[in-house]
Amino acid sequence: MNMKKNFTLLALIMMAMAMTFASCDTDEDEYEAYTLEGAWEGDMGVMINGYVADYSTIYFDKNPYQYASGEGYQVDYFGNSSPWYHRSRNAYYVANHIRWQVTMGVIQLYYVEEDIYAEIRDYSLSSGYFTGYIDFEDGSSSSFRLQKTYSPNNWGSYYEWGWYDDYYYGYSKKGAFDGDATRAAASGAKSATKLVRTAAKK
């Protein structure tokens, strides 16, 4: 009888410990998502259709109603040898909306327009710098280094979360980015050539 009680007690303790560890993981993911929120700029280690991006800007907009997740956008800028020239911005770039989530310390990215996934792992994240590795669907990986250029917590308003119109893209950045340059629609009609995103050959 005592053995049965001891086994039951041990099982309850193990369940409590498992719940505690799960809670710690969730809290850590939420903290990282909070730190991640905002605008970052630098070398993402990106190559699209053989063209290496000069630099990228990525904006993480946290969903205040869900743990450690949100939406945003990424704009990869290229040299003038690339085919993605936009006369209205006088720049060469590829823009994507993104959806993102932090799960067990891994940042999962989904590029909406390109319909592909990527994962960020083994990263170091602070209020000013973000470094680590990004894995692409084709199995390639690249290191990246970004610097934070804008934090939404400076104005702390979330009511506009989830809007995808010109107003949202002009307002959410508060002057940090190029406004309409961040809309994927700004890229014009979809190219007949599929965009293939992979790690840059450094």
Side-chain angles (χ1 to χ4, degrees):
M1 189 69 176
N2 288 335
M3 184 178 294
K4 183 176 181 181
K5 287 183 177 179
N6 290 339
F7 180 79
T8 302
L9 181 60
L10 180 60
L12 290 173
I13 292 174
M14 292 179 67
M15 287 177 61
M17 291 176 63
M19 292 177 65
T20 299
F21 289 143
S23 176
C24 289
D25 288 337
T26 302
D27 291 343
E28 183 66 21
D29 288 345
E30 179 67 8
Y31 175 76
E32 291 183 0
Y34 179 82
T35 307
L36 193 63
E37 186 175 24
W40 302 83
E41 182 176 300
D43 182 6
M44 279 287 288
V46 175
M47 181 168 67
I48 299 179
N49 290 16
Y51 296 91
V52 177
D54 290 342
Y55 70 98
S56 302
T57 55
I58 186 167
Y59 186 90
F60 294 92
D61 185 24
K62 186 178 177 298
N63 183 342
Y65 308 111
Q66 294 180 2
Y67 280 112
S69 64
E71 300 184 355
Y73 50 81
Q74 180 172 326
V75 186
D76 303 302
Y77 293 90
F78 297 84
N80 57 16
S81 63
S82 76
W84 304 295
Y85 177 68
H86 301 266
R87 188 183 303 275
S88 62
R89 306 305 305 181
N90 190 29
Y92 295 79
Y93 63 84
V94 172
N96 272 275
H97 296 104
I98 61 169
R99 297 172 188 158
W100 61 274
Q101 182 170 352
V102 185
T103 304
M104 300 291 287
V106 176
I107 302 169
Q108 301 165 332
L109 298 176
Y110 173 63
Y111 294 86
V112 176
E113 279 71 28
E114 294 178 22
D115 189 29
I116 64 169
Y117 293 86
E119 286 189 346
I120 293 175
R121 57 174 173 82
D122 299 332
Y123 56 86
S124 175
L125 178 63
S126 69
S127 60
Y129 291 93
F130 183 26
T131 63
Y133 296 89
I134 183 167
D135 299 333
F136 296 96
E137 276 191 349
D138 67 344
S140 64
S141 299
S142 181
S143 60
F144 67 88
R145 179 176 175 82
L146 305 174
Q147 183 172 357
K148 200 161 198 175
T149 58
Y150 169 70
S151 173
N153 299 314
N154 291 339
W155 46 279
S157 175
Y158 296 102
Y159 74 90
E160 78 284 4
W161 185 90
W163 286 33
Y164 274 101
D165 58 12
D166 288 326
Y167 173 77
Y168 174 73
Y169 276 104
Y171 181 75
S172 67
K173 64 186 177 59
K174 288 290 184 179
F177 284 133
D178 288 315
D180 64 342
T182 59
R183 282 195 69 189
S187 299
K190 291 186 177 180
S191 170
T193 303
K194 177 178 174 59
L195 298 183
V196 179
R197 181 177 296 267
T198 185
K201 299 176 181 177
K202 298 180 179 181

